[in-house]
Amino acid sequence: MSARPGRRRRHRVGGGPGTHARWLAADGYEVHLVDPVERHLREAGTACDCTTELGDARALSAEDESYDALLLLGPLYHLQERTDRVQALREARRVLRPGAPLAVAAISRHAELIDLAAAGRLTPAATPVMRKVLASGRHSREHGFTTAYFHSVPELQTEVAEAGFTDIRIYGVEGPAWAALKGIAVHTGTSLTGSPLVASALVAARIAESDPALIPASSHLMAFARAPGA
């Protein structure tokens, strides 16, 4: 696929139904979305002006150094083996042009613990399971949610570096106040959209997003890095 005149190529791996691809395409970028679920590709194809492909983050079909940026927002959630996660990151580096940016999303190691506690769903009976998840990062669909992997901040940093990326920065997405919002919404049954509580939580998230002590308090982590080169 050749780039359209005046447009930079963005690769969206684990693109789902096109939520992020939609606004990238609307901003004028040429977006190619890869996902392993055919239904997601159909939805993305109708949601945005982008090309789609059924594929695997660990074995991309794109040529070497063919993209200006890559968003890996989802695959690391579900790859429980470290070798698979690093392979997906290496594939991202392979298809990026020298110096091109990478954005990677991961689920924070403590996300489920905080979420269940905020929703009032954490019981003593869940303690052995939660301790196991916190120790290993591995989550089984048998315990709710889905098969997933939860990263620690140092672990995410190390995996991105091992794949060959440079200038790595890790941020917390939701900030330290998200659990309070979750608890209020669940226990009162009210929507907090437009509430001063949400506005305050956003300010807290921006203040704390790069604070090493508070990054793990977010439910999701974002790693930003660059492919080596000019």
Side-chain angles (χ1 to χ4, degrees):
M1 182 181 69
S2 60
R4 302 175 196 174
R7 302 184 80 183
R8 305 196 73 188
R9 305 181 76 187
R10 297 294 188 270
H11 211 37
R12 177 71 172 87
V13 181
T19 301
H20 300 293
R22 185 187 306 117
W23 60 262
L24 282 168
D27 280 349
Y29 294 105
E30 180 180 358
V31 181
H32 183 62
L33 184 149
V34 178
D35 198 89
V37 180
E38 291 184 350
R39 178 172 60 85
H40 289 169
L41 297 177
R42 291 194 297 270
E43 292 174 357
T46 60
C48 69
D49 180 20
C50 62
T51 55
T52 62
E53 176 188 350
L54 188 69
D56 187 326
R58 297 165 294 181
L60 300 175
S61 65
E63 297 179 359
D64 294 358
E65 300 183 2
S66 57
Y67 280 88
D68 298 299
L70 190 142
L71 307 183
L72 198 67
L73 307 184
L76 294 198
Y77 297 173
H78 305 293
L79 296 174
Q80 290 197 327
E81 298 300 326
R82 187 178 190 279
T83 53
D84 288 333
R85 297 193 299 272
V86 174
Q87 175 60 24
L89 290 162
R90 284 177 174 155
E91 276 292 273
R93 178 174 61 82
R94 179 184 66 79
V95 305
L96 281 172
R97 295 190 172 114
L102 168 78
V104 183
I107 302 174
S108 177
R109 180 63 58 91
H110 297 86
E112 185 176 43
L113 174 69
I114 298 172
D115 180 85
L116 291 177
R121 296 171 52 209
L122 194 59
T123 66
T127 298
V129 172
M130 287 310 310
R131 291 193 186 281
K132 185 176 180 180
V133 171
L134 291 175
S136 68
R138 294 170 176 264
H139 184 279
S140 171
R141 68 171 67 240
E142 298 173 5
H143 307 301
F145 187 46
T146 186
T147 300
Y149 191 80
F150 301 157
H151 275 84
S152 68
V153 174
E155 189 175 36
L156 180 59
Q157 176 96 20
T158 299
E159 290 177 1
V160 176
E162 185 174 330
F165 286 94
T166 62
D167 190 25
I168 303 166
R169 292 156 292 140
I170 309 292
Y171 295 92
V173 177
E174 293 87 357
W178 72 272
L181 298 181
K182 173 70 177 280
I184 292 170
V186 169
H187 295 296
T188 66
T190 59
S191 172
L192 297 179
T193 302
S195 164
L197 291 173
V198 174
S200 182
L202 286 173
V203 173
R206 293 184 179 111
I207 292 172
E209 65 180 8
S210 58
D211 185 325
L214 290 174
I215 290 173
S218 286
S219 180
H220 294 83
L221 309 173
M222 284 292 298
F224 295 94
R226 288 193 177 275

